[in-house]
């Protein structure tokens, strides 16, 4: 897999490989672009470059990581071994490498009285959103105690010409903000939009405390990530970002709630959303604005990847008899199906209980090895013929769940379920099949018929 010098380079790679569509219609960033991306985002579809955006010189690109294929392209791994390849590289580190000079030699910088929406085609995604939201901005801040720069992907609401609300629900940035509040100090932040997608992915990974996620990105790339100093805040940022927004959070300021259609498919407002006061805006000449529609396969792919990198190795280490693990698309990583090589019901029950102990898992199903976890029909067949609710169902109330689940209680508490869809006994539960040698002999004919059916 080739390396990419930045967002534009990745876009060109997608174009060369038939993974990018270009739209020349002039569309508004308010609802119109998000409507196209929302419809595309419900199924596997190409990335889309909007060449003309009403009122802006910036083009907009979206649905970049809307398929497992493009996700693997961005991560420089084989699609069929995505988790395995990533897990082999996830602990490798390359410290980011400073490059001389400012963020870019070809940039337009605005300071002082900045009007964000005058320059950036920030999308208003859904009809009841409280306003335009930046959903692809990856934010960096310095820990006031350790000095380490922490980074994450956090939604940002445009609240005024030079003000952004930032939703700080997750560590490490939520923990850092708490420290600044205790010390009653301003928290400097720098947000970049439009980077090599591998860098964006690294910002949402779970890493040990005190780790700069850019060193994780470097490990995944196999080379150091170039960084530059921001212009008005003391923070290192990726050097090749299309857009950089700098500013600070005043911990004494008012914290508001903004509403956004979230990755769960519902409008949600979260408390503790402080305001970023913007001090500088830097845009590359010829910049491209990256958009991420919240309720889409793109977000689902990202969430399943992040949860899987945490979940899969821990589960397989504790339960060696687990074979295949599959997150159900459209459930933002909360529903999982696992196949297991054991008839021991105690081991199966232990596996289900352990899976439900993970914050993001709400429903876990276990099937035998003869069932393909990725085949919805086979999984439902196993539930229909091997599962009994009074015997094989685990229900655990009041466990911590995901913030984007609107059915959860206060404190994001939720009821979780585990379902044992394995054979109750060996006798009488052999799956029907044709002779293996006949299937192998007829494979070329069958493959030809299936290709015709797809056409």
């Amino acid at each position: 897999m080739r390396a990419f010098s930045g967002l534009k380079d990745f876009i060109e790679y997608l174009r060369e490989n038939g993974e990018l569509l270009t739209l020349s219609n002039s569309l508004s960033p308010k609802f119109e672009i998000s409507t196209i991306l929302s419809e595309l985002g419900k199924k596997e579809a190409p990335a889309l470059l909007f060449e003309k955006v009403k009122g802006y010189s910036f083009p907009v690109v979206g649905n970049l990581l809307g398929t497992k294929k493009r996700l693997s392209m961005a991560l420089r791994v084989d699609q069929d071994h995505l988790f395995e390849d990533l897990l082999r590289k996830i602990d490798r580190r390359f410290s980011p490498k400073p490059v001389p000079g400012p963020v870019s030699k070809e940039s337009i910088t605005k300071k002082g009285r900045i009007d964000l929406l005058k320059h950036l085609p920030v999308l208003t995604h859904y009809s009841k959103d409280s306003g335009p939201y930046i959903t692809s901005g990856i934010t960096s801040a310095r820990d006031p105690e350790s000095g380490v720069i922490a980074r994450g992907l956090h939604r940002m609401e445009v609240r005024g010409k030079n003000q952004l609300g930032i939703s700080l629900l997750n560590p490490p940035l939520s923990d850092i903000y708490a420290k600044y509040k205790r010390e009653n100090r301003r928290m400097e932040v720098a947000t970049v939009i439009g980077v090599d997608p591998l860098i964006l992915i690294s910002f949402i990974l779970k890493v040990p405390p005190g780790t700069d996620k850019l060193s994780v990105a470097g490990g995944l790339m196999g080379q150091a990530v170039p960084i530059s100093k921001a212009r008005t805040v003391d923070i290192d940022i990726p050097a090749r970002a299309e857009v950089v927004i700098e500013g600070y959070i005043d911990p004494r300021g008012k914290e508001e709630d903004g509403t956004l259609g979230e990755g769960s498919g519902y409008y949600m407002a979260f408390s503790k959303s402080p305001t970023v006061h913007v001090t500088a805006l830097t845009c590359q000449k010829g910049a491209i604005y990256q958009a991420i529609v919240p309720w889409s396969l793109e977000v689902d792919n990202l969430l399943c990847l992040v949860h899987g990198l945490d979940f899969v190795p821990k589960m397989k280490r504790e339960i060696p008899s687990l074979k295949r693990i599959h997150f159900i698309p459209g459930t933002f990583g909360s529903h999982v199906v696992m196949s297991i090589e054991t008839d021991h019901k105690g081991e199966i029950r232990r596996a289900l209980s352990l899976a439900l102990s993970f914050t993001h898992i709400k429903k876990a199903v276990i099937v035998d090895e003869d069932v393909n976890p990725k085949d919805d029909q086979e999984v439902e067949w196993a539930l229909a013929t091997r599962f009994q609710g009074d015997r094989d169902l685990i229900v655990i109330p009041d466990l911590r769940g995901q913030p984007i689940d609107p059915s959860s209680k206060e404190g994001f508490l939720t009821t979780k379920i585990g379902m044992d869809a394995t054979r109750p006994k060996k006798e009488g539960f052999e799956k029907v099949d044709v002779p293996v040698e006949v299937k192998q002999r007829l494979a070329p004919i069958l493959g030809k018929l299936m290709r015709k059916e797809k056409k």
Side-chain angles (χ1 to χ4, degrees):
M1 292 283 183
R2 57 166 285 189
F4 303 107
S5 61
L7 176 66
K8 291 189 182 78
D9 193 21
F10 183 68
I11 290 172
E12 286 308 308
Y13 182 73
L14 295 184
R15 193 194 305 273
E16 292 166 5
N17 286 272
E19 290 288 328
L20 179 78
L21 291 179
T22 301
L23 193 64
S24 59
N25 304 66
S26 180
L27 296 176
S28 170
K30 186 171 184 178
F31 302 136
E32 292 186 350
I33 291 177
S34 64
T35 296
I36 300 293
L37 289 175
S38 291
E39 292 304 309
L40 279 179
K42 292 176 182 177
K43 56 186 178 181
E44 292 205 348
L48 190 57
L49 179 66
F50 298 85
E51 291 183 316
K52 298 176 183 178
V53 182
K54 289 179 182 177
Y56 297 91
S57 58
F58 276 32
V60 171
V61 68
N63 200 36
L64 278 183
L65 305 175
T67 65
K68 291 288 196 306
K69 180 179 180 181
R70 292 200 296 280
L71 189 63
S72 65
M73 287 176 169
L75 290 165
R76 288 77 149 167
V77 296
D78 184 276
Q79 182 182 348
D80 296 328
H81 303 94
L82 192 152
F83 273 108
E84 296 89 340
D85 287 354
L86 275 182
L87 288 170
R88 279 195 292 270
K89 299 193 292 184
I90 197 70
D91 293 324
R92 191 169 60 178
R93 302 285 185 268
F94 279 90
S95 297
K97 180 181 179 181
V99 296
V103 175
S104 170
K105 293 180 180 178
E106 294 186 352
S107 62
I108 304 166
T109 300
K110 302 290 181 182
K111 295 182 181 179
R113 298 184 65 83
I114 296 166
D115 188 342
L116 291 168
L117 292 182
K118 183 178 179 181
H119 301 283
L120 302 180
V122 184
L123 303 192
T124 305
H125 299 88
Y126 305 110
S127 58
K128 293 186 179 180
D129 287 356
S130 55
Y133 267 86
I134 297 171
T135 52
S136 61
I138 48 181
T139 299
S140 303
R142 189 179 297 277
D143 189 310
E145 296 175 356
S146 68
V148 173
I149 297 178
R151 310 179 193 273
L153 174 63
H154 298 264
R155 73 186 210 181
M156 304 181 82
E157 178 191 23
V158 179
R159 289 183 175 165
K161 289 185 177 181
N162 60 353
Q163 292 185 342
L164 293 165
I166 182 168
S167 182
L168 297 177
L169 289 176
N170 301 312
L173 290 191
S174 60
D175 295 337
I176 288 177
Y177 177 53
K179 293 178 183 179
Y180 279 98
K181 286 192 75 172
R182 285 196 299 269
E183 298 177 11
N184 198 29
R185 291 172 53 193
R186 284 184 174 183
M187 174 177 166
E188 293 185 338
V189 295
T191 299
V192 298
I193 304 169
V195 293
D196 179 335
L198 187 147
I199 295 176
L200 183 146
I201 293 167
S202 73
F203 273 46
I204 61 178
L205 297 179
K206 297 178 181 179
V207 301
T211 302
D212 187 338
K213 291 182 178 180
L214 284 182
S215 69
V216 179
L220 294 176
M221 287 181 183
Q223 62 187 41
V225 176
I227 55 172
S228 290
K229 282 285 184 187
R231 295 174 184 249
T232 61
V233 295
D234 182 24
I235 297 174
D236 295 323
I237 54 176
R240 295 166 181 159
E242 300 290 302
V243 175
V244 181
I245 303 171
E246 303 170 27
Y248 66 87
I249 299 171
D250 185 343
R252 297 166 297 184
K254 184 179 179 182
E255 296 181 348
E256 303 175 20
D257 291 341
T259 300
L260 173 68
E262 268 290 355
S264 55
Y266 295 93
Y267 294 103
M268 302 195 74
F270 298 114
S271 58
K272 299 182 180 179
S273 295
T275 298
V276 176
H277 301 271
V278 178
T279 55
L281 169 66
T282 303
C283 306
Q284 295 270 358
K285 283 187 177 178
I288 299 176
Y289 182 89
Q290 182 183 357
I292 297 178
V293 171
W295 193 29
S296 63
L297 281 181
E298 180 173 23
V299 170
D300 205 71
N301 285 337
L302 290 170
L303 289 174
C304 288
L305 175 72
V306 173
H307 296 328
L309 288 173
D310 181 51
F311 182 83
V312 173
K314 291 178 181 177
M315 287 295 298
K316 288 194 171 183
R317 185 169 59 246
E318 292 294 323
I319 314 289
S321 54
L322 282 178
K323 295 303 176 184
R324 291 184 289 177
I325 297 175
H326 174 59
F327 291 99
I328 303 297
T331 68
F332 45 95
S334 67
H335 291 187
V336 66
V337 181
M338 304 172 286
S339 64
I340 196 166
E341 186 185 21
T342 184
D343 292 320
H344 193 283
K345 289 297 182 180
E347 182 77 350
I348 293 169
R349 196 170 186 88
R350 177 171 171 261
L352 286 171
S353 298
L354 181 61
L356 298 177
S357 71
F358 285 78
T359 298
H360 62 275
I361 297 295
K362 187 174 182 179
K363 185 181 84 169
V365 178
I366 284 191
V367 296
D368 293 297
E369 272 197 292
D370 65 341
V371 175
N372 181 2
K374 293 185 178 182
D375 189 321
D376 294 343
Q377 183 173 316
E378 287 201 7
V379 173
E380 290 300 317
W381 167 78
L383 285 167
T385 60
R386 301 178 179 184
F387 168 83
Q388 289 294 323
D390 62 337
R391 179 189 65 207
D392 302 316
L393 178 67
I394 297 174
V395 180
I396 308 177
D398 295 333
L399 292 180
R400 171 84 178 193
Q402 295 201 55
I404 59 175
D405 176 2
S407 68
S408 60
K409 301 177 185 177
E410 185 177 351
F412 310 122
L413 298 180
T414 190
T415 297
K416 301 189 175 189
I417 60 172
M419 307 175 79
D420 176 4
T422 62
R423 293 179 295 258
K425 57 183 181 179
K426 287 187 177 181
E427 298 78 17
F429 285 89
E430 182 181 356
K431 186 179 180 183
V432 299
D433 203 354
V434 296
V436 175
E437 64 274 12
V438 176
K439 189 188 295 186
Q440 291 174 339
R441 189 171 69 248
L442 299 181
I445 298 174
L446 182 61
K448 187 175 180 180
L449 289 170
M450 292 180 72
R451 286 192 293 272
K452 284 184 177 180
E453 183 183 0
K454 287 182 180 179
K455 290 179 182 179

